[in-house]
């Protein structure tokens, strides 16, 4: 059975995490990495299995231990990824591409394809990853990192902070509008796109820095490109997650939507999408997407869907501030 998600760690304070027990190691033949620099780094330091295949429990424990990600937030993000991209029979998720190491996938339209799958969790206008339309949605992209550095120079005095996050987030949206006819920026993607612009401030900055949190370009390259903690890195001093999104949205308020009719420069807002005033719409939208992947599950698959949907809900209900639980497959 898939076990219930882990609770918070017994110690959730400041700690050296780039320690002797968790040495960075280069990739071996076959090791998988993907679009998330946080998970990539945890795998390369052995907080996650170094092959890049993990259970949701492994992931919750690793993001708590290595970055001090807050427990309910960690559950919300992890089970979102697992429900959309994981193998619900074997309880394993690839943090990158599809692999036989997660076991045989359930019948299509389910794919158990890992976090690289476009349009599930992964989406457009990432900060250091290109849109799927351009061919590679998961690898570190040097051109985009150059833009990250340029914006950090222009708006952050050479560091990445929330002011830089606000400008870069907005600019990456404009890039996709102008160049990606398939640009989609709603529901899961709208919410996560803002989250991933603040994680470098809340989670990649050393926890010993308590005021004026900002990330150096050296440390940014270490995480985004090299999947490596900076030397002597201490995790956040208290459980943290996506604090700062209001400061990112304020200079450039922006509505969820996408380029309509497969045409660039044709952004149309979607009034039915989830946004930060309607977070439970993201919960509902994902449950619908899960039902789309698994229209008629039976046996262990059905039981595990029921369990994982509920585990996810226990996180979402807290992080989103109260949503009505849905039971598309009934209850156990
Ligand atoms: C991006 C998954 C935890 C930092 C992503 C993306 C996925 C993902 C699928 C790609 C989104 C996209 O651009 O299309 C997850 C899952 C987590 C997790 C399942 C489980 C808890 C973390 C943690 C951190 C983090 C703990 C930081 C310590 C980031 C950042 C990006 C990102 C900064 C943006 C990458 C870029 O576009 O340059 N994550 N993540 N994530 N994640 Fe995670």
């Amino acid at each position: 059975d898939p076990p219930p998600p882990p609770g918070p760690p017994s110690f959730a304070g400041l700690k050296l995490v780039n320690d002797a027990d968790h040495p960075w190691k280069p990739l071996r033949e076959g090791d998988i990495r993907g679009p998330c620099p946080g998970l990539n780094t945890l795998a390369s330091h052995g907080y996650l299995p170094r092959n890049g295949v993990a259970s949701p429990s492994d992931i919750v424990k690793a993001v708590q231990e290595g970055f001090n990600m807050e427990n309910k937030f960690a559950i919300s993000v992890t089970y979102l990824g697992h429900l959309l991209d994981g193998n619900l029979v074997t309880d394993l998720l690839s943090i990158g591409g599809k692999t036989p190491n997660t076991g045989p996938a359930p019948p299509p339209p389910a794919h158990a394809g890992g976090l690289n799958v476009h349009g599930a969790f992964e989406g457009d206008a990432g900060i250091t990853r290109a849109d799927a339309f351009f061919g590679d949605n998961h690898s570190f992209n040097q051109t985009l990192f150059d833009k990250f550095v340029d914006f950090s120079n222009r708006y952050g005095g050479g560091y990445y902070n929330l002011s830089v996050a606000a400008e870069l987030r907005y600019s990456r949206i404009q890039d996709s509008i102008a160049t990606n006819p398939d640009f989609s920026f709603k529901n899961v993607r709208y919410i996560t796109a803002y989250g991933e612009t603040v994680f470098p401030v809340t989670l990649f900055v050393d926890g010993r820095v308590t005021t004026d949190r900002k990330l150096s370009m050296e440390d940014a390259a270490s995480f985004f490109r090299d999947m490596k903690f900076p030397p002597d890195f201490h995790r956040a001093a208290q459980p943290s997650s996506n604090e700062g999104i209001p400061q990112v949205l304020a200079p450039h308020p922006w509505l969820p939507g996408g380029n309509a009719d497969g045409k660039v420069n044709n952004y149309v807002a979607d009034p039915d999408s989830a946004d930060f005033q309607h977070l439970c719409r993201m919960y509902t939208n994902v449950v619908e997407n899960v039902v789309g992947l698994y229209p008629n599950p039976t046996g262990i698959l059905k039981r595990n869907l029921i369990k994982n949907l509920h585990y996810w809900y226990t996180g979402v209900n807290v992080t989103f501030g109260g949503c009505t639980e849905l039971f598309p497959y009934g209850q156990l």
Side-chain angles (χ1 to χ4, degrees):
D1 285 31
S10 51
F11 173 68
L14 184 70
K15 183 163 89 165
L16 174 74
V17 290
N18 191 0
D19 62 8
D21 288 344
H22 301 91
W24 182 86
K25 290 188 187 168
L27 297 181
R28 302 160 306 188
E29 181 76 31
D31 284 350
I32 293 172
R33 299 293 181 267
C36 176
L39 298 179
N40 290 347
T41 299
L42 291 168
S44 287
H45 281 272
Y47 281 95
L48 282 172
R50 291 181 187 268
N51 69 357
V53 170
S55 72
S57 294
D58 292 335
I59 296 174
V60 171
K61 283 185 210 149
V63 299
Q64 291 183 163
E65 191 63 22
F67 284 111
N68 213 356
M69 189 181 260
E70 189 278 325
N71 176 249
K72 296 296 185 194
F73 190 89
I75 291 170
S76 301
V77 184
T78 300
Y79 284 82
L80 169 66
H82 187 53
L83 282 162
L84 294 177
D85 293 329
N87 187 320
L88 296 178
V89 175
T90 59
D91 204 37
L92 291 170
L93 170 67
S94 160
I95 67 171
K98 189 164 181 159
T99 164
N101 294 339
T102 53
H111 50 73
L115 291 179
N116 284 1
V117 172
H118 175 64
F121 188 138
E122 192 285 325
D124 292 331
I127 48 182
T128 71
R129 268 64 178 169
D131 290 4
F133 177 78
F134 301 109
D136 181 347
N137 68 346
H138 54 273
S139 306
F140 174 79
N141 181 306
Q142 183 64 48
T143 308
L144 290 177
F145 190 71
D146 291 344
K147 176 169 177 141
F148 180 102
V149 173
D150 177 45
F151 272 55
S152 299
N153 287 330
R154 281 159 61 190
Y155 302 103
Y159 293 85
Y160 184 87
N161 60 19
L162 292 179
S163 306
V164 178
E167 298 307 322
L168 184 60
R169 170 40 59 232
Y170 179 70
S171 180
R172 291 290 298 130
I173 294 168
Q174 305 313 310
D175 290 345
S176 291
I177 291 174
T179 60
N180 178 359
D182 295 340
F183 180 44
S184 177
F185 198 67
K186 57 185 180 176
N187 290 312
V188 172
R189 185 52 188 153
Y190 180 81
I191 305 297
T192 59
Y194 285 92
E196 69 185 40
T197 48
V198 299
F199 291 156
V201 179
T202 59
L203 299 172
F204 288 167
V205 175
D206 193 288
R208 290 169 294 180
V209 179
T210 51
T211 54
D212 189 20
R213 288 175 65 80
K214 54 187 191 177
L215 186 68
S216 73
M217 294 304 97
E218 201 184 346
D219 290 355
S222 182
F223 285 109
F224 282 100
R225 185 190 61 206
D226 303 335
M227 317 183 230
K228 195 177 199 174
F229 288 131
D232 205 31
F233 182 72
H234 288 56
R235 70 182 189 188
Q238 62 286 312
S240 303
S241 57
N242 61 356
E243 298 81 10
I245 289 178
Q247 292 95 302
V248 171
L249 267 165
H252 299 287
W254 190 259
L255 295 172
N259 273 339
D261 306 323
K263 287 198 205 119
V264 298
N265 296 314
N266 197 30
Y267 194 83
V268 177
D270 178 351
D272 298 323
S273 170
D275 59 26
F276 291 98
Q277 278 70 50
H278 304 93
L279 283 166
C280 292
R281 287 184 190 171
M282 176 177 141
Y283 169 68
T284 309
N285 175 258
V286 169
V287 173
E288 283 165 8
N289 291 346
V290 170
V291 173
L293 290 171
Y294 302 97
N296 284 302
T298 57
I300 293 173
L301 177 60
K302 180 177 175 184
R303 181 202 64 188
N304 289 2
L305 276 160
I306 293 171
K307 289 201 167 197
N308 281 291
L309 279 170
H310 179 67
Y311 296 158
W312 185 50
Y313 175 80
T314 64
V316 162
N317 190 40
V318 175
T319 55
F320 289 0
C323 303
T324 305
E325 188 165 10
L326 301 170
F327 301 101
Y329 305 113
Q331 287 174 260
L332 292 177

